[in-house]
Amino acid sequence: MKVAARPAAWIVWGIVGFFFVNLAGLVLSVVVSSFGKSWFDTWLPQGATTQWYGEAWRDFGLLPVLLTTLQVSALVVGLSVLVGVPASYVLARRAFPGRGVLYLLFLLPILMPPITYGIPLATVLYKYGFAGHLSGVVLANLVPSVPFVILTLTPFIEQIDPAIERAARMCGAGTRQVFVRILAPMLVPGILAASVLVLVRTVGMFELTFLTAGPESQTLVVALYNSMSAAGIRAQQSVDAMAVIYTGTMLVLLVVALRIVNPTQLVARVKEEDPT
Amino acid sequence: MAAATGTRVALRHRLAERGIDRQLLLLGPALLFVVVLFIYPFFYGIGLSFQPAEGGAFAAYRSFFTDAYERDTIATTLWLALPVALLNVGASVPIAYRMRGRFRGKRLLTTVLVVPITLGTVLTAQGLLNFLGPTGWFNRALMTSGVIEEPLRLTHNYWGVFFSLVITGFPFAFLLVLSYLSGIDPTLEKAAATLGAGWAQRFRRITLPLLAPGLATTFCLTFVLAFSVFPSAVLVGDPAGETRVISIAAWHAGYEQYDYSKASAIAVVMGLVELVVIAVVLGWRSLLYTGSTGGKG
């Protein structure tokens, strides 16, 4: 392309390059620090060690935290798909009075900052005894996840030819059969995409989990935040090691997600649903 | 009896004609979730905000707005969120503009741009503290090359939070802008070029108006992300002063002073401020252009 020779292009790529160099430096500094012995006023730490990972794993009880994270995410993904799929089917296929209002209702939890609804939600969950336990964390995380599944899946369903369903109905299939035998198999890619994205969001969701979790029901982000904000208790390198573990986990999830969905297409599909 | 059944059937038919039938029951569980876990707590919170322990219905709001330390959190948050959202959207446009066509390494570049999403607040915070801190690689490189004498102070203040929000927000804004931009039909620009329009004219008259709705949406979404900043304002910021954002104020009220009424009031104020900004942005863009963006979308 001849545009690449223009000065404007060089400036743009220069800025992108600068951003990436600094970003790489930032990430590398954490990785280096997590493997370093002691690191003060020098370019590199004085020696390499893996003790911080061992320390993080043991002292911090990383295994139960990872298990909680896994439990919470699995429950949130499962429940939000179960609840979201039928709703997105109706929203994709049917025109009925109040459809626009419903859409707005499902859009609101995504548009509001989690803290704004998280605080009253946490209060309500404490009132009924859910907060502080796994159930409270799961319930809170469902609030943005169910709408997210609905908004991601609706365009997928719109792409399926309704004639296929009509044909199935002609042959005597009921709604349940249409769902299980026709729609579910055709929707597998969409459901997978939505699940992986909900998974990434749930693992990374700080505010809602922070507001509703008890000591036994912290997920990785919250545990990590607590260990970092309580400065001085834990060696900085040990926090670095945990941060590397967290990012490694997220990276694996994201790579899996990118194999299933093309990020730009996905955003464009979500955009179509935006009534604003 | 027969007449009663008759009217019932007729009613069902009439409703079905308007699109209401039993299939809508499939919406039930999702609706129940939103109502029980979002709408009900929301109104419960609003109610709570008007029931402070003492001082009448508006006491919680009054104490928020009369205390300058609390009130200023709104300005602090906006002063962080608006520039960050503007920068993220503004920087995304030229970069996405360059990346519209097909070229080698496009997929790789997109992937690399998505990676910061996985970093998470804590790794970003630790990275910023390590990298931009007084003895970090950034200051070290600048000092070794003789650009500066004293290390720049870039963490535990406004800039630390600013950078952290750019790192987490930019990839997101970029992906959105790129997808909106690739939705615009390139033949429109080609047609303008054959009529003799230069690139600046083409951009201003064709691409920008078509992109405006997408930019408004992207701005709103990145603004929401930046506006709700909480962990990084504590970890790389100055949570008692320069970066005491409104979510920190809400958290303090609720979970350190155990004043749920005030916490709810702050959450309500926070939601309102955010909705006002979004309404202004969306209202402004609907003044500019209303219509479809044309392309595949």
Side-chain angles (χ1 to χ4, degrees):
Chain A
M1 278 204 324
K2 64 176 193 297
V3 282
R6 289 221 195 98
W10 286 112
I11 294 172
V12 169
W13 291 126
I15 293 171
V16 175
F18 182 73
F19 181 72
F20 277 132
V21 166
N22 284 296
L23 194 67
L26 191 146
V27 175
L28 260 181
S29 73
V30 178
V31 175
V32 167
S33 167
S34 75
F35 284 111
K37 274 184 179 146
S38 61
W39 189 6
F40 295 109
D41 204 9
T42 46
W43 281 97
L44 284 172
Q46 279 158 8
T49 169
T50 51
Q51 72 171 90
W52 304 114
Y53 284 89
E55 205 165 284
W57 187 268
R58 262 178 291 108
D59 299 358
F60 185 63
L62 211 50
L63 189 64
V65 173
L66 279 174
L67 282 179
T68 313
T69 313
L70 198 70
Q71 267 177 312
V72 169
S73 338
L75 280 169
V76 169
V77 170
L79 283 172
S80 51
V81 165
L82 220 57
V83 173
V85 172
S88 45
Y89 173 74
V90 178
L91 282 174
R93 282 281 189 257
R94 308 293 305 276
F96 53 90
R99 187 173 173 275
V101 178
L102 260 182
Y103 239 119
L104 191 67
L105 198 64
F106 286 130
L107 202 71
L108 265 183
I110 297 182
L111 272 183
M112 298 291 274
I115 289 259
T116 54
Y117 60 86
I119 286 181
L121 176 65
T123 319
V124 168
L125 289 175
Y126 271 110
K127 195 171 114 185
Y128 293 107
F130 287 111
H133 308 287
L134 202 69
S135 58
V137 177
V138 171
L139 284 175
N141 275 294
L142 278 175
V143 176
S145 300
V146 169
F148 191 77
V149 168
I150 294 176
L151 295 180
T152 329
L153 266 183
T154 311
F156 273 98
I157 296 180
E158 277 168 351
Q159 281 166 10
I160 296 177
D161 191 350
I164 302 173
E165 283 162 52
R166 283 202 294 270
R169 284 187 196 278
M170 284 277 288
C171 298
T175 303
R176 207 169 63 95
Q177 263 177 313
V178 169
F179 249 93
V180 177
R181 313 275 291 265
I182 313 281
L183 282 173
M186 294 187 82
L187 269 181
V188 167
I191 292 178
L192 269 180
S195 312
V196 177
L197 288 166
V198 169
L199 188 68
V200 173
R201 279 171 65 99
T202 310
V203 174
M205 172 53 80
F206 172 78
E207 283 92 345
L208 291 174
T209 315
F210 185 54
L211 290 170
T212 49
E216 302 290 305
S217 50
Q218 288 178 355
T219 60
L220 195 52
V221 238
V222 176
L224 206 46
Y225 170 85
N226 284 339
S227 74
M228 189 179 168
S229 64
I233 295 174
R234 197 165 298 280
Q236 210 212 325
Q237 289 97 326
S238 161
V239 178
D240 285 334
M242 286 189 291
V244 171
I245 293 176
Y246 169 83
T247 302
T249 317
M250 285 292 269
L251 200 62
V252 170
L253 289 180
L254 197 81
V255 168
V256 172
L258 287 181
R259 292 214 74 90
I260 301 174
V261 282
N262 177 354
T264 51
Q265 260 179 25
L266 184 91
V267 177
R269 281 192 193 130
V270 173
K271 174 209 96 185
E272 277 177 359
E273 300 316 308
D274 192 341
T276 47
Chain B
M1 186 67 199
T5 349
T7 48
R8 248 202 359 245
V9 171
L11 181 67
R12 204 157 82 191
H13 270 280
R14 282 212 306 279
L15 284 176
E17 263 165 27
R18 299 194 56 200
I20 300 173
D21 60 25
R22 279 203 325 220
Q23 243 185 33
L24 294 194
L25 288 178
L26 290 173
L27 277 173
L31 200 59
L32 188 76
F33 257 94
V34 171
V35 169
V36 171
L37 290 174
F38 183 72
I39 302 293
Y40 168 66
F42 206 79
F43 282 98
Y44 180 81
I46 292 179
L48 207 60
S49 73
F50 287 113
Q51 292 162 9
E54 51 194 44
F58 293 99
Y61 290 93
R62 209 179 304 126
S63 86
F64 178 80
F65 280 108
T66 47
D67 184 350
Y69 187 55
E70 300 285 337
R71 190 180 59 222
D72 288 350
T73 56
I74 298 181
T76 308
T77 317
L78 287 177
W79 178 234
L80 256 176
L82 287 175
V84 164
L86 271 178
L87 177 72
N88 282 344
V89 176
S92 301
V93 176
I95 300 173
Y97 200 70
R98 299 268 158 221
M99 282 190 60
R100 273 183 314 170
R102 296 185 150 274
F103 59 89
R104 267 181 55 177
K106 179 171 174 172
R107 205 179 159 84
L108 180 75
L109 194 57
T110 321
T111 312
V112 173
L113 275 165
V114 179
V115 164
I117 293 174
T118 63
L119 294 183
T121 3
V122 172
L123 189 117
T124 315
Q126 285 285 22
L128 284 169
L129 294 180
N130 289 349
F131 181 71
L132 294 180
T135 61
W137 286 341
F138 188 76
N139 273 317
R140 194 170 280 280
L142 285 185
M143 272 157 69
T144 317
S145 59
V147 182
I148 49 167
E149 299 274 308
E150 288 286 301
L152 294 173
R153 211 174 149 253
L154 295 168
T155 51
H156 290 301
N157 59 8
Y158 178 84
W159 292 108
V161 187
F162 187 88
F163 293 134
S164 138
L165 287 175
V166 169
I167 289 169
T168 44
F170 174 73
F172 181 68
F174 173 77
L175 280 181
L176 277 164
V177 171
L178 182 63
S179 70
Y180 284 119
L181 205 55
S182 34
I184 296 173
D185 194 345
T187 48
L188 293 172
E189 270 200 72
K190 283 191 196 126
T194 58
L195 295 173
W199 80 265
Q201 228 177 343
R202 290 202 302 266
F203 181 76
R204 205 171 70 81
R205 293 289 176 82
I206 294 166
T207 313
L208 199 58
L210 288 173
L211 193 59
L215 285 185
T217 313
T218 312
F219 181 87
C220 288
L221 292 174
T222 35
F223 173 75
V224 172
L225 273 184
F227 188 75
S228 52
V229 54
F230 176 56
S232 50
V234 176
L235 299 178
V236 270
D238 168 19
E242 219 180 333
T243 66
R244 189 172 186 267
V245 290
I246 191 162
S247 27
I248 295 183
W251 160 260
H252 267 279
Y255 294 85
E256 280 173 16
Q257 303 168 350
Y258 297 102
D259 185 347
Y260 293 115
S261 170
K262 193 172 167 197
S264 306
I266 299 178
V268 170
V269 171
M270 186 177 169
L272 280 179
V273 172
E274 190 237 7
L275 287 180
V276 166
V277 172
I278 288 185
V280 167
V281 171
L282 294 180
W284 181 52
R285 90 97 178 137
S286 68
L287 282 181
L288 288 177
Y289 174 81
T290 46
S292 88
T293 46
K296 67 178 164 104

